[in-house]
Amino acid sequence: MARLRTYFFTGIIVAAPIGLTVYITSWFIDLVDTWFVPLLPEQYQPDQLLPFNIPGLGLIIALVLLTVLGALAANFFGQALLTLTERVVERMPVVRSIYSALKQIFETVLSQSNTSFREVALVEYPRLGSYTLAFITSGPRSDLPGLEGREMIGVFVPTTPNPTGGFFLYLPREEVRVLDMTVEDGLKMIVSFGIVEPSKGGKAKQKPTIPTLNI
């Protein structure tokens, strides 16, 4: 019975990641298909030409459209059209705030030259004596209102097990301890409630080097 129990749990460990990965991937592909396949003319849609559905066609269409959009935005006419569109959006009271915030988030996350979310840190939160993982999002600042002269570090403290939600905090530089840990390992620890340990041990550096960003 002990051996059968071991085999059973081993089977769960092997099957669960594979099954969840297939399920999430299938859900994402179906979602993108429902968005982009209807963009094709009805006579060219797969269900009109073939007796079966082609999963992932919407994802291919999305990749092509995004690539074409990026190419158009890179030339002179595309930039002029984008500038005109942004000027129109800036005249809309509520829409401009949403657009500006989303644009800044995507530019920060997707920019290859940015160092945000590149380091994992240990901060004292939510009370003294307890520590949690955080991701450094902005470099040292000494111009915050009421805190002039003090170097403050911007960190994002994610929630467990969903790291997409959390809190943004400014902490004194001396209270932010950079860990010898990759962002991937940090996310694994957060999602797994700390069960999955970092591959490099996650030891804090004695003299952390905080990235300096242009703010």
Side-chain angles (χ1 to χ4, degrees):
M1 292 300 297
R3 182 173 298 179
L4 290 176
R5 186 170 60 251
T6 302
Y7 290 160
F8 173 74
F9 285 114
T10 302
I12 292 178
I13 294 174
V14 173
I18 297 176
L20 291 175
T21 301
V22 172
Y23 174 78
I24 294 174
T25 303
S26 176
W27 170 83
F28 178 75
I29 292 176
D30 291 339
L31 179 63
V32 177
D33 285 347
T34 57
W35 288 350
F36 289 94
V37 171
L39 297 178
L40 291 174
E42 186 176 355
Q43 62 271 21
Y44 295 110
Q45 292 186 5
D47 54 356
Q48 300 293 331
L49 301 175
L50 301 173
F52 54 88
N53 187 24
I54 302 178
L57 180 61
L59 186 60
I60 297 175
I61 296 174
L63 293 175
V64 173
L65 290 178
L66 290 175
T67 303
V68 172
L69 180 62
L72 293 176
N75 59 41
F76 175 78
F77 296 101
Q79 291 180 358
L81 180 61
L82 183 60
T83 301
L84 178 62
T85 304
E86 290 183 345
R87 288 180 179 176
V88 174
V89 173
E90 289 175 356
R91 296 179 180 272
M92 303 179 182
V94 179
V95 177
R96 65 184 179 187
S97 300
I98 299 174
Y99 174 77
S100 177
L102 291 176
K103 181 181 178 182
Q104 188 172 5
I105 290 173
F106 277 96
E107 287 180 348
T108 302
V109 173
L110 298 180
S111 177
Q112 296 180 357
S113 61
N114 203 300
T115 56
S116 298
F117 296 96
R118 295 293 178 88
E119 289 188 283
V120 184
L122 194 67
V123 299
E124 206 165 9
Y125 182 86
R127 63 175 179 81
L128 296 178
S130 63
Y131 295 86
T132 185
L133 293 181
F135 300 101
I136 296 175
T137 59
S138 60
R141 299 189 58 174
S142 57
D143 58 344
L144 294 176
L147 297 172
E148 291 84 355
R150 297 189 61 186
E151 286 192 340
M152 307 296 291
I153 304 296
V155 298
F156 174 70
V157 180
T159 55
T160 301
N162 179 17
T164 58
F167 307 93
F168 175 74
L169 306 172
Y170 272 116
L171 298 175
R173 176 170 182 160
E174 61 272 12
E175 296 182 9
V176 179
R177 305 179 63 190
V178 180
L179 299 178
D180 184 15
M181 181 190 304
T182 63
V183 174
E184 290 78 9
D185 284 340
L187 289 173
K188 289 178 183 178
M189 285 194 67
I190 294 170
V191 172
S192 67
F193 301 96
I195 297 175
V196 178
E197 297 182 356
S199 57
K200 294 184 178 181
K203 296 181 180 179
K205 299 178 182 179
Q206 295 296 327
K207 295 182 179 180
T209 56
I210 307 299
T212 303
L213 306 182
N214 295 325
I215 300 174

PDB file of all heavy atoms in Angstrom, residues 84-117:
ATOM      1  N   LEU A  84      -1.265  61.780 -34.142  1.00  0.00           N
ATOM      2  CA  LEU A  84      -2.588  62.377 -34.283  1.00  0.00           C
ATOM      3  C   LEU A  84      -3.615  61.659 -33.404  1.00  0.00           C
ATOM      4  O   LEU A  84      -4.448  62.296 -32.739  1.00  0.00           O
ATOM      5  CB  LEU A  84      -3.021  62.339 -35.746  1.00  0.00           C
ATOM      6  CG  LEU A  84      -4.423  62.886 -36.056  1.00  0.00           C
ATOM      7  CD1 LEU A  84      -4.499  64.362 -35.681  1.00  0.00           C
ATOM      8  CD2 LEU A  84      -4.758  62.669 -37.528  1.00  0.00           C
ATOM      9  N   THR A  85      -3.535  60.320 -33.380  1.00  0.00           N
ATOM     10  CA  THR A  85      -4.466  59.548 -32.557  1.00  0.00           C
ATOM     11  C   THR A  85      -4.272  59.858 -31.075  1.00  0.00           C
ATOM     12  O   THR A  85      -5.249  60.011 -30.328  1.00  0.00           O
ATOM     13  CB  THR A  85      -4.276  58.051 -32.808  1.00  0.00           C
ATOM     14  OG1 THR A  85      -4.426  57.767 -34.205  1.00  0.00           O
ATOM     15  CG2 THR A  85      -5.289  57.229 -32.024  1.00  0.00           C
ATOM     16  N   GLU A  86      -3.018  59.962 -30.642  1.00  0.00           N
ATOM     17  CA  GLU A  86      -2.753  60.263 -29.238  1.00  0.00           C
ATOM     18  C   GLU A  86      -3.241  61.660 -28.865  1.00  0.00           C
ATOM     19  O   GLU A  86      -3.701  61.880 -27.747  1.00  0.00           O
ATOM     20  CB  GLU A  86      -1.261  60.116 -28.946  1.00  0.00           C
ATOM     21  CG  GLU A  86      -0.771  58.669 -28.968  1.00  0.00           C
ATOM     22  CD  GLU A  86       0.687  58.549 -28.612  1.00  0.00           C
ATOM     23  OE1 GLU A  86       1.386  59.595 -28.632  1.00  0.00           O
ATOM     24  OE2 GLU A  86       1.135  57.425 -28.302  1.00  0.00           O
ATOM     25  N   ARG A  87      -3.146  62.594 -29.796  1.00  0.00           N
ATOM     26  CA  ARG A  87      -3.649  63.941 -29.515  1.00  0.00           C
ATOM     27  C   ARG A  87      -5.158  63.927 -29.330  1.00  0.00           C
ATOM     28  O   ARG A  87      -5.699  64.641 -28.475  1.00  0.00           O
ATOM     29  CB  ARG A  87      -3.260  64.881 -30.650  1.00  0.00           C
ATOM     30  CG  ARG A  87      -1.761  65.227 -30.687  1.00  0.00           C
ATOM     31  CD  ARG A  87      -1.458  66.149 -31.836  1.00  0.00           C
ATOM     32  NE  ARG A  87      -0.027  66.498 -31.863  1.00  0.00           N
ATOM     33  CZ  ARG A  87       0.547  67.238 -32.822  1.00  0.00           C
ATOM     34  NH1 ARG A  87      -0.215  67.718 -33.816  1.00  0.00           N
ATOM     35  NH2 ARG A  87       1.825  67.499 -32.775  1.00  0.00           N
ATOM     36  N   VAL A  88      -5.838  63.115 -30.137  1.00  0.00           N
ATOM     37  CA  VAL A  88      -7.293  63.000 -29.992  1.00  0.00           C
ATOM     38  C   VAL A  88      -7.645  62.369 -28.648  1.00  0.00           C
ATOM     39  O   VAL A  88      -8.558  62.816 -27.947  1.00  0.00           O
ATOM     40  CB  VAL A  88      -7.882  62.182 -31.157  1.00  0.00           C
ATOM     41  CG1 VAL A  88      -9.366  61.933 -30.932  1.00  0.00           C
ATOM     42  CG2 VAL A  88      -7.658  62.903 -32.480  1.00  0.00           C
ATOM     43  N   VAL A  89      -6.885  61.309 -28.276  1.00  0.00           N
ATOM     44  CA  VAL A  89      -7.148  60.626 -27.007  1.00  0.00           C
ATOM     45  C   VAL A  89      -6.885  61.548 -25.825  1.00  0.00           C
ATOM     46  O   VAL A  89      -7.602  61.514 -24.818  1.00  0.00           O
ATOM     47  CB  VAL A  89      -6.291  59.344 -26.908  1.00  0.00           C
ATOM     48  CG1 VAL A  89      -6.416  58.726 -25.529  1.00  0.00           C
ATOM     49  CG2 VAL A  89      -6.705  58.340 -27.978  1.00  0.00           C
ATOM     50  N   GLU A  90      -5.857  62.401 -25.929  1.00  0.00           N
ATOM     51  CA  GLU A  90      -5.520  63.301 -24.827  1.00  0.00           C
ATOM     52  C   GLU A  90      -6.603  64.332 -24.551  1.00  0.00           C
ATOM     53  O   GLU A  90      -6.613  64.964 -23.492  1.00  0.00           O
ATOM     54  CB  GLU A  90      -4.191  64.010 -25.124  1.00  0.00           C
ATOM     55  CG  GLU A  90      -2.981  63.085 -25.028  1.00  0.00           C
ATOM     56  CD  GLU A  90      -1.703  63.795 -25.438  1.00  0.00           C
ATOM     57  OE1 GLU A  90      -1.799  64.981 -25.870  1.00  0.00           O
ATOM     58  OE2 GLU A  90      -0.624  63.191 -25.336  1.00  0.00           O
ATOM     59  N   ARG A  91      -7.513  64.527 -25.482  1.00  0.00           N
ATOM     60  CA  ARG A  91      -8.607  65.471 -25.287  1.00  0.00           C
ATOM     61  C   ARG A  91      -9.810  64.833 -24.586  1.00  0.00           C
ATOM     62  O   ARG A  91     -10.774  65.527 -24.275  1.00  0.00           O
ATOM     63  CB  ARG A  91      -9.038  66.060 -26.627  1.00  0.00           C
ATOM     64  CG  ARG A  91      -7.949  66.882 -27.309  1.00  0.00           C
ATOM     65  CD  ARG A  91      -8.418  67.421 -28.642  1.00  0.00           C
ATOM     66  NE  ARG A  91      -7.383  68.197 -29.295  1.00  0.00           N
ATOM     67  CZ  ARG A  91      -7.174  69.504 -29.111  1.00  0.00           C
ATOM     68  NH1 ARG A  91      -7.976  70.164 -28.273  1.00  0.00           N
ATOM     69  NH2 ARG A  91      -6.209  70.143 -29.727  1.00  0.00           N
ATOM     70  N   MET A  92      -9.747  63.522 -24.368  1.00  0.00           N
ATOM     71  CA  MET A  92     -10.839  62.821 -23.693  1.00  0.00           C
ATOM     72  C   MET A  92     -10.504  62.702 -22.208  1.00  0.00           C
ATOM     73  O   MET A  92      -9.507  62.084 -21.842  1.00  0.00           O
ATOM     74  CB  MET A  92     -11.038  61.436 -24.304  1.00  0.00           C
ATOM     75  CG  MET A  92     -11.314  61.472 -25.792  1.00  0.00           C
ATOM     76  SD  MET A  92     -11.505  59.803 -26.479  1.00  0.00           S
ATOM     77  CE  MET A  92     -11.747  60.192 -28.215  1.00  0.00           C
ATOM     78  N   PRO A  93     -11.302  63.275 -21.333  1.00  0.00           N
ATOM     79  CA  PRO A  93     -10.954  63.369 -19.899  1.00  0.00           C
ATOM     80  C   PRO A  93     -10.621  62.049 -19.233  1.00  0.00           C
ATOM     81  O   PRO A  93      -9.599  61.917 -18.581  1.00  0.00           O
ATOM     82  CB  PRO A  93     -12.204  64.009 -19.290  1.00  0.00           C
ATOM     83  CG  PRO A  93     -12.852  64.726 -20.423  1.00  0.00           C
ATOM     84  CD  PRO A  93     -12.576  63.909 -21.644  1.00  0.00           C
ATOM     85  N   VAL A  94     -11.468  61.029 -19.365  1.00  0.00           N
ATOM     86  CA  VAL A  94     -11.259  59.769 -18.658  1.00  0.00           C
ATOM     87  C   VAL A  94     -10.388  58.824 -19.461  1.00  0.00           C
ATOM     88  O   VAL A  94      -9.485  58.168 -18.930  1.00  0.00           O
ATOM     89  CB  VAL A  94     -12.618  59.101 -18.345  1.00  0.00           C
ATOM     90  CG1 VAL A  94     -12.404  57.773 -17.634  1.00  0.00           C
ATOM     91  CG2 VAL A  94     -13.482  60.029 -17.498  1.00  0.00           C
ATOM     92  N   VAL A  95     -10.601  58.792 -20.760  1.00  0.00           N
ATOM     93  CA  VAL A  95      -9.877  57.862 -21.625  1.00  0.00           C
ATOM     94  C   VAL A  95      -8.388  58.150 -21.619  1.00  0.00           C
ATOM     95  O   VAL A  95      -7.559  57.238 -21.637  1.00  0.00           O
ATOM     96  CB  VAL A  95     -10.442  57.918 -23.055  1.00  0.00           C
ATOM     97  CG1 VAL A  95      -9.649  57.003 -23.983  1.00  0.00           C
ATOM     98  CG2 VAL A  95     -11.909  57.533 -23.058  1.00  0.00           C
ATOM     99  N   ARG A  96      -8.008  59.439 -21.583  1.00  0.00           N
ATOM    100  CA  ARG A  96      -6.588  59.769 -21.649  1.00  0.00           C
ATOM    101  C   ARG A  96      -5.819  59.242 -20.449  1.00  0.00           C
ATOM    102  O   ARG A  96      -4.656  58.839 -20.574  1.00  0.00           O
ATOM    103  CB  ARG A  96      -6.415  61.277 -21.772  1.00  0.00           C
ATOM    104  CG  ARG A  96      -6.888  62.071 -20.561  1.00  0.00           C
ATOM    105  CD  ARG A  96      -6.782  63.554 -20.804  1.00  0.00           C
ATOM    106  NE  ARG A  96      -7.258  64.326 -19.657  1.00  0.00           N
ATOM    107  CZ  ARG A  96      -7.392  65.656 -19.678  1.00  0.00           C
ATOM    108  NH1 ARG A  96      -7.088  66.329 -20.760  1.00  0.00           N
ATOM    109  NH2 ARG A  96      -7.825  66.282 -18.598  1.00  0.00           N
ATOM    110  N   SER A  97      -6.458  59.233 -19.265  1.00  0.00           N
ATOM    111  CA  SER A  97      -5.774  58.710 -18.074  1.00  0.00           C
ATOM    112  C   SER A  97      -5.550  57.207 -18.193  1.00  0.00           C
ATOM    113  O   SER A  97      -4.476  56.699 -17.864  1.00  0.00           O
ATOM    114  CB  SER A  97      -6.598  59.029 -16.826  1.00  0.00           C
ATOM    115  OG  SER A  97      -6.769  60.420 -16.682  1.00  0.00           O
ATOM    116  N   ILE A  98      -6.569  56.485 -18.669  1.00  0.00           N
ATOM    117  CA  ILE A  98      -6.435  55.038 -18.837  1.00  0.00           C
ATOM    118  C   ILE A  98      -5.385  54.712 -19.879  1.00  0.00           C
ATOM    119  O   ILE A  98      -4.520  53.861 -19.681  1.00  0.00           O
ATOM    120  CB  ILE A  98      -7.796  54.425 -19.212  1.00  0.00           C
ATOM    121  CG1 ILE A  98      -8.827  54.683 -18.112  1.00  0.00           C
ATOM    122  CG2 ILE A  98      -7.669  52.932 -19.465  1.00  0.00           C
ATOM    123  CD1 ILE A  98     -10.230  54.241 -18.463  1.00  0.00           C
ATOM    124  N   TYR A  99      -5.439  55.416 -21.021  1.00  0.00           N
ATOM    125  CA  TYR A  99      -4.488  55.155 -22.111  1.00  0.00           C
ATOM    126  C   TYR A  99      -3.062  55.460 -21.679  1.00  0.00           C
ATOM    127  O   TYR A  99      -2.134  54.686 -21.949  1.00  0.00           O
ATOM    128  CB  TYR A  99      -4.867  55.989 -23.330  1.00  0.00           C
ATOM    129  CG  TYR A  99      -3.864  55.905 -24.454  1.00  0.00           C
ATOM    130  CD1 TYR A  99      -3.804  54.791 -25.280  1.00  0.00           C
ATOM    131  CD2 TYR A  99      -2.954  56.932 -24.673  1.00  0.00           C
ATOM    132  CE1 TYR A  99      -2.879  54.707 -26.306  1.00  0.00           C
ATOM    133  CE2 TYR A  99      -2.023  56.857 -25.693  1.00  0.00           C
ATOM    134  CZ  TYR A  99      -1.985  55.750 -26.506  1.00  0.00           C
ATOM    135  OH  TYR A  99      -1.059  55.666 -27.509  1.00  0.00           O
ATOM    136  N   SER A 100      -2.860  56.578 -21.004  1.00  0.00           N
ATOM    137  CA  SER A 100      -1.522  56.959 -20.576  1.00  0.00           C
ATOM    138  C   SER A 100      -0.935  55.953 -19.595  1.00  0.00           C
ATOM    139  O   SER A 100       0.236  55.560 -19.704  1.00  0.00           O
ATOM    140  CB  SER A 100      -1.558  58.351 -19.941  1.00  0.00           C
ATOM    141  OG  SER A 100      -0.290  58.724 -19.456  1.00  0.00           O
ATOM    142  N   ALA A 101      -1.752  55.488 -18.653  1.00  0.00           N
ATOM    143  CA  ALA A 101      -1.266  54.519 -17.672  1.00  0.00           C
ATOM    144  C   ALA A 101      -0.926  53.188 -18.340  1.00  0.00           C
ATOM    145  O   ALA A 101       0.131  52.603 -18.075  1.00  0.00           O
ATOM    146  CB  ALA A 101      -2.306  54.323 -16.580  1.00  0.00           C
ATOM    147  N   LEU A 102      -1.802  52.699 -19.208  1.00  0.00           N
ATOM    148  CA  LEU A 102      -1.553  51.422 -19.877  1.00  0.00           C
ATOM    149  C   LEU A 102      -0.336  51.507 -20.793  1.00  0.00           C
ATOM    150  O   LEU A 102       0.473  50.572 -20.861  1.00  0.00           O
ATOM    151  CB  LEU A 102      -2.789  51.007 -20.683  1.00  0.00           C
ATOM    152  CG  LEU A 102      -4.023  50.610 -19.864  1.00  0.00           C
ATOM    153  CD1 LEU A 102      -5.193  50.316 -20.775  1.00  0.00           C
ATOM    154  CD2 LEU A 102      -3.718  49.398 -18.988  1.00  0.00           C
ATOM    155  N   LYS A 103      -0.189  52.617 -21.503  1.00  0.00           N
ATOM    156  CA  LYS A 103       0.957  52.770 -22.396  1.00  0.00           C
ATOM    157  C   LYS A 103       2.266  52.755 -21.618  1.00  0.00           C
ATOM    158  O   LYS A 103       3.238  52.108 -22.022  1.00  0.00           O
ATOM    159  CB  LYS A 103       0.826  54.079 -23.178  1.00  0.00           C
ATOM    160  CG  LYS A 103       1.974  54.310 -24.149  1.00  0.00           C
ATOM    161  CD  LYS A 103       1.822  55.631 -24.880  1.00  0.00           C
ATOM    162  CE  LYS A 103       3.011  55.868 -25.803  1.00  0.00           C
ATOM    163  NZ  LYS A 103       2.923  57.175 -26.503  1.00  0.00           N
ATOM    164  N   GLN A 104       2.294  53.456 -20.495  1.00  0.00           N
ATOM    165  CA  GLN A 104       3.520  53.496 -19.695  1.00  0.00           C
ATOM    166  C   GLN A 104       3.853  52.122 -19.124  1.00  0.00           C
ATOM    167  O   GLN A 104       5.024  51.728 -19.070  1.00  0.00           O
ATOM    168  CB  GLN A 104       3.357  54.516 -18.571  1.00  0.00           C
ATOM    169  CG  GLN A 104       4.647  54.765 -17.791  1.00  0.00           C
ATOM    170  CD  GLN A 104       4.500  55.905 -16.817  1.00  0.00           C
ATOM    171  OE1 GLN A 104       3.412  56.458 -16.646  1.00  0.00           O
ATOM    172  NE2 GLN A 104       5.586  56.264 -16.153  1.00  0.00           N
ATOM    173  N   ILE A 105       2.827  51.374 -18.716  1.00  0.00           N
ATOM    174  CA  ILE A 105       3.060  50.035 -18.162  1.00  0.00           C
ATOM    175  C   ILE A 105       3.658  49.123 -19.232  1.00  0.00           C
ATOM    176  O   ILE A 105       4.654  48.432 -18.999  1.00  0.00           O
ATOM    177  CB  ILE A 105       1.749  49.454 -17.605  1.00  0.00           C
ATOM    178  CG1 ILE A 105       1.331  50.208 -16.337  1.00  0.00           C
ATOM    179  CG2 ILE A 105       1.918  47.966 -17.292  1.00  0.00           C
ATOM    180  CD1 ILE A 105      -0.025  49.809 -15.814  1.00  0.00           C
ATOM    181  N   PHE A 106       3.063  49.108 -20.428  1.00  0.00           N
ATOM    182  CA  PHE A 106       3.553  48.221 -21.473  1.00  0.00           C
ATOM    183  C   PHE A 106       4.940  48.632 -21.954  1.00  0.00           C
ATOM    184  O   PHE A 106       5.780  47.777 -22.239  1.00  0.00           O
ATOM    185  CB  PHE A 106       2.566  48.205 -22.649  1.00  0.00           C
ATOM    186  CG  PHE A 106       1.419  47.265 -22.452  1.00  0.00           C
ATOM    187  CD1 PHE A 106       0.208  47.719 -21.956  1.00  0.00           C
ATOM    188  CD2 PHE A 106       1.538  45.920 -22.754  1.00  0.00           C
ATOM    189  CE1 PHE A 106      -0.857  46.853 -21.753  1.00  0.00           C
ATOM    190  CE2 PHE A 106       0.484  45.042 -22.559  1.00  0.00           C
ATOM    191  CZ  PHE A 106      -0.719  45.516 -22.066  1.00  0.00           C
ATOM    192  N   GLU A 107       5.194  49.923 -22.044  1.00  0.00           N
ATOM    193  CA  GLU A 107       6.530  50.363 -22.457  1.00  0.00           C
ATOM    194  C   GLU A 107       7.579  49.977 -21.432  1.00  0.00           C
ATOM    195  O   GLU A 107       8.699  49.612 -21.780  1.00  0.00           O
ATOM    196  CB  GLU A 107       6.532  51.880 -22.661  1.00  0.00           C
ATOM    197  CG  GLU A 107       5.812  52.331 -23.921  1.00  0.00           C
ATOM    198  CD  GLU A 107       5.836  53.842 -24.074  1.00  0.00           C
ATOM    199  OE1 GLU A 107       6.210  54.526 -23.077  1.00  0.00           O
ATOM    200  OE2 GLU A 107       5.482  54.333 -25.154  1.00  0.00           O
ATOM    201  N   THR A 108       7.214  50.029 -20.155  1.00  0.00           N
ATOM    202  CA  THR A 108       8.167  49.668 -19.095  1.00  0.00           C
ATOM    203  C   THR A 108       8.441  48.172 -19.079  1.00  0.00           C
ATOM    204  O   THR A 108       9.588  47.729 -18.969  1.00  0.00           O
ATOM    205  CB  THR A 108       7.631  50.110 -17.724  1.00  0.00           C
ATOM    206  OG1 THR A 108       7.411  51.518 -17.745  1.00  0.00           O
ATOM    207  CG2 THR A 108       8.618  49.776 -16.626  1.00  0.00           C
ATOM    208  N   VAL A 109       7.378  47.364 -19.215  1.00  0.00           N
ATOM    209  CA  VAL A 109       7.528  45.915 -19.119  1.00  0.00           C
ATOM    210  C   VAL A 109       8.203  45.341 -20.345  1.00  0.00           C
ATOM    211  O   VAL A 109       9.059  44.449 -20.258  1.00  0.00           O
ATOM    212  CB  VAL A 109       6.146  45.253 -18.905  1.00  0.00           C
ATOM    213  CG1 VAL A 109       6.254  43.737 -18.972  1.00  0.00           C
ATOM    214  CG2 VAL A 109       5.567  45.677 -17.566  1.00  0.00           C
ATOM    215  N   LEU A 110       7.867  45.851 -21.541  1.00  0.00           N
ATOM    216  CA  LEU A 110       8.357  45.264 -22.778  1.00  0.00           C
ATOM    217  C   LEU A 110       9.647  45.887 -23.291  1.00  0.00           C
ATOM    218  O   LEU A 110      10.246  45.358 -24.228  1.00  0.00           O
ATOM    219  CB  LEU A 110       7.280  45.381 -23.870  1.00  0.00           C
ATOM    220  CG  LEU A 110       5.971  44.649 -23.588  1.00  0.00           C
ATOM    221  CD1 LEU A 110       5.002  44.849 -24.732  1.00  0.00           C
ATOM    222  CD2 LEU A 110       6.210  43.161 -23.355  1.00  0.00           C
ATOM    223  N   SER A 111      10.074  46.993 -22.716  1.00  0.00           N
ATOM    224  CA  SER A 111      11.300  47.624 -23.190  1.00  0.00           C
ATOM    225  C   SER A 111      12.506  46.757 -22.850  1.00  0.00           C
ATOM    226  O   SER A 111      12.715  46.359 -21.718  1.00  0.00           O
ATOM    227  CB  SER A 111      11.465  49.007 -22.559  1.00  0.00           C
ATOM    228  OG  SER A 111      12.679  49.595 -22.951  1.00  0.00           O
ATOM    229  N   GLN A 112      13.323  46.472 -23.850  1.00  0.00           N
ATOM    230  CA  GLN A 112      14.486  45.597 -23.653  1.00  0.00           C
ATOM    231  C   GLN A 112      15.602  46.299 -22.909  1.00  0.00           C
ATOM    232  O   GLN A 112      16.434  45.661 -22.279  1.00  0.00           O
ATOM    233  CB  GLN A 112      14.999  45.103 -25.004  1.00  0.00           C
ATOM    234  CG  GLN A 112      14.004  44.231 -25.751  1.00  0.00           C
ATOM    235  CD  GLN A 112      14.544  43.760 -27.078  1.00  0.00           C
ATOM    236  OE1 GLN A 112      15.649  44.136 -27.478  1.00  0.00           O
ATOM    237  NE2 GLN A 112      13.790  42.949 -27.774  1.00  0.00           N
ATOM    238  N   SER A 113      15.637  47.644 -22.990  1.00  0.00           N
ATOM    239  CA  SER A 113      16.719  48.387 -22.350  1.00  0.00           C
ATOM    240  C   SER A 113      16.413  48.762 -20.915  1.00  0.00           C
ATOM    241  O   SER A 113      17.243  49.332 -20.229  1.00  0.00           O
ATOM    242  CB  SER A 113      17.000  49.672 -23.147  1.00  0.00           C
ATOM    243  OG  SER A 113      15.845  50.491 -23.181  1.00  0.00           O
ATOM    244  N   ASN A 114      15.222  48.443 -20.422  1.00  0.00           N
ATOM    245  CA  ASN A 114      14.838  48.817 -19.067  1.00  0.00           C
ATOM    246  C   ASN A 114      15.261  47.739 -18.083  1.00  0.00           C
ATOM    247  O   ASN A 114      15.249  46.561 -18.404  1.00  0.00           O
ATOM    248  CB  ASN A 114      13.325  49.009 -18.991  1.00  0.00           C
ATOM    249  CG  ASN A 114      12.933  49.907 -17.837  1.00  0.00           C
ATOM    250  OD1 ASN A 114      13.203  49.606 -16.693  1.00  0.00           O
ATOM    251  ND2 ASN A 114      12.287  51.018 -18.152  1.00  0.00           N
ATOM    252  N   THR A 115      15.631  48.133 -16.882  1.00  0.00           N
ATOM    253  CA  THR A 115      16.081  47.178 -15.872  1.00  0.00           C
ATOM    254  C   THR A 115      15.007  46.892 -14.830  1.00  0.00           C
ATOM    255  O   THR A 115      15.307  46.300 -13.800  1.00  0.00           O
ATOM    256  CB  THR A 115      17.340  47.719 -15.161  1.00  0.00           C
ATOM    257  OG1 THR A 115      17.050  49.000 -14.607  1.00  0.00           O
ATOM    258  CG2 THR A 115      18.494  47.835 -16.130  1.00  0.00           C
ATOM    259  N   SER A 116      13.772  47.317 -15.073  1.00  0.00           N
ATOM    260  CA  SER A 116      12.704  47.047 -14.115  1.00  0.00           C
ATOM    261  C   SER A 116      12.395  45.564 -14.063  1.00  0.00           C
ATOM    262  O   SER A 116      12.495  44.859 -15.067  1.00  0.00           O
ATOM    263  CB  SER A 116      11.448  47.830 -14.499  1.00  0.00           C
ATOM    264  OG  SER A 116      11.702  49.221 -14.462  1.00  0.00           O
ATOM    265  N   PHE A 117      11.995  45.108 -12.891  1.00  0.00           N
ATOM    266  CA  PHE A 117      11.653  43.712 -12.661  1.00  0.00           C
ATOM    267  C   PHE A 117      12.824  42.788 -13.007  1.00  0.00           C
ATOM    268  O   PHE A 117      12.621  41.665 -13.427  1.00  0.00           O
ATOM    269  CB  PHE A 117      10.416  43.312 -13.469  1.00  0.00           C
ATOM    270  CG  PHE A 117       9.179  44.051 -13.052  1.00  0.00           C
ATOM    271  CD1 PHE A 117       8.784  45.172 -13.730  1.00  0.00           C
ATOM    272  CD2 PHE A 117       8.432  43.615 -11.977  1.00  0.00           C
ATOM    273  CE1 PHE A 117       7.637  45.859 -13.363  1.00  0.00           C
ATOM    274  CE2 PHE A 117       7.278  44.299 -11.599  1.00  0.00           C
ATOM    275  CZ  PHE A 117       6.890  45.422 -12.292  1.00  0.00           C
TER     276      PHE A 117
END
